[in-house]
Amino acid sequence: MATTSEEVWRILGELAEAQKETERRFQETEQRFQKTDELLKQRFQETERLMRRQNQQFNEQLGKLGNRLGEFVEWQVRPVVVRLFQERGIAVHEFYPGASAQRDGEGIEIDLLVVNSTEAILVEVKSKLTQTDVDEHLERLSKFKRLMPRYGDVHAMGAVAGMVVPDEVARYAYRQGLFVMAQSGDSVVILNDATFQPRRW
């Protein structure tokens, strides 16, 4: 059966319409994909923002907890610090929490300053003591008399205290000539042995 030219044109027209319909549907699908992609990007950005905010809040809470732990350790050390050093033959009788000074653009902060008329012990208190804490305390000791000249004639010594004191950090502080104080049960003790000779500044 022969195909007339009209039928050929009709078939070509139908094919052209079908192609247009296919292109239209393809464009609709592409637009849906683009909208879905944009929506996914927005959701991802919102989730990322939320995670950053939650992470920041977590870090803030962790920092506050660390500070509270440090305060807790300091409150444990305060009542016994004078007695512990007296038992070591250092006749201190006064202590000042949170001593600080500013001079010539420099500052110093001391968690506990334990003194008598001839000796001073600067105590740094941490929830978990690190070697960096020890090094920073050594630097603090080196500035002490210059920034707090009223103690210029005393023999200054250093001590570090912590709820957690790793063995290697305790050994490092000991070798630097510092007293090392740590929690033992419900109390605080000085870990240094009887032969220990503190460094004096």
Side-chain angles (χ1 to χ4, degrees):
M1 196 160 123
T3 303
T4 66
S5 61
E6 287 179 2
E7 287 175 330
V8 169
W9 284 112
R10 181 179 60 76
I11 291 168
L12 287 173
E14 288 174 358
L15 286 172
E17 285 298 318
Q19 185 176 359
K20 284 180 186 176
E21 180 64 16
T22 301
E23 286 176 358
R24 185 184 65 76
R25 288 185 178 177
F26 178 76
Q27 285 174 349
E28 284 178 359
T29 303
E30 191 174 23
Q31 286 172 352
R32 283 186 193 139
F33 274 131
Q34 284 176 351
K35 286 179 182 176
T36 303
D37 189 46
E38 286 171 10
L39 187 62
L40 284 172
K41 281 180 183 175
Q42 287 174 354
R43 292 264 171 91
F44 177 75
Q45 288 170 349
E46 285 171 12
T47 304
E48 199 174 35
R49 262 196 309 273
L50 182 62
M51 286 177 69
R52 272 200 305 267
R53 192 180 312 122
Q54 287 177 338
N55 193 35
Q56 183 181 358
Q57 289 172 346
F58 175 76
N59 287 335
E60 286 172 2
Q61 293 297 323
L62 195 61
K64 287 178 185 175
L65 178 61
N67 289 340
R68 296 304 298 270
L69 284 172
E71 289 172 12
F72 174 73
V73 178
E74 189 173 321
W75 277 101
Q76 281 194 305
V77 172
R78 279 185 188 189
V80 297
V81 68
V82 170
R83 176 181 56 79
L84 287 174
F85 288 118
Q86 286 176 348
E87 289 172 357
R88 287 293 177 120
I90 304 169
V92 287
H93 48 265
E94 301 173 18
F95 80 91
Y96 302 98
S100 64
Q102 297 286 328
R103 191 179 296 271
D104 300 326
E106 278 190 286
I108 186 172
E109 291 185 6
I110 304 161
D111 289 339
L112 294 172
L113 178 60
V114 188
V115 298
N116 61 28
S117 55
T118 60
E119 294 163 309
I121 305 167
L122 285 68
V123 185
E124 175 70 4
V125 182
K126 295 291 182 185
S127 52
K128 181 179 180 182
L129 191 67
T130 66
Q131 184 172 325
T132 301
D133 297 326
V134 175
D135 289 336
E136 287 175 356
H137 196 44
L138 291 168
E139 185 179 341
R140 189 176 295 113
L141 281 154
S142 71
K143 298 191 292 187
F144 171 59
K145 290 185 180 181
R146 179 162 44 83
L147 297 182
M148 300 182 82
R150 75 172 66 181
Y151 297 104
D153 295 331
V154 304
H155 296 294
M157 293 167 279
V160 288
M163 179 182 290
V164 178
V165 181
D167 290 342
E168 65 275 11
V169 177
R171 284 193 296 270
Y172 178 73
Y174 183 104
R175 287 195 303 268
Q176 300 303 315
L178 302 179
F179 287 101
V180 182
M181 307 170 75
Q183 190 171 14
S184 177
D186 293 333
S187 188
V188 173
V189 297
I190 293 177
L191 299 179
N192 306 62
D193 56 38
T195 62
F196 173 74
Q197 293 297 316
R199 179 177 168 189
R200 294 174 185 267
W201 279 262

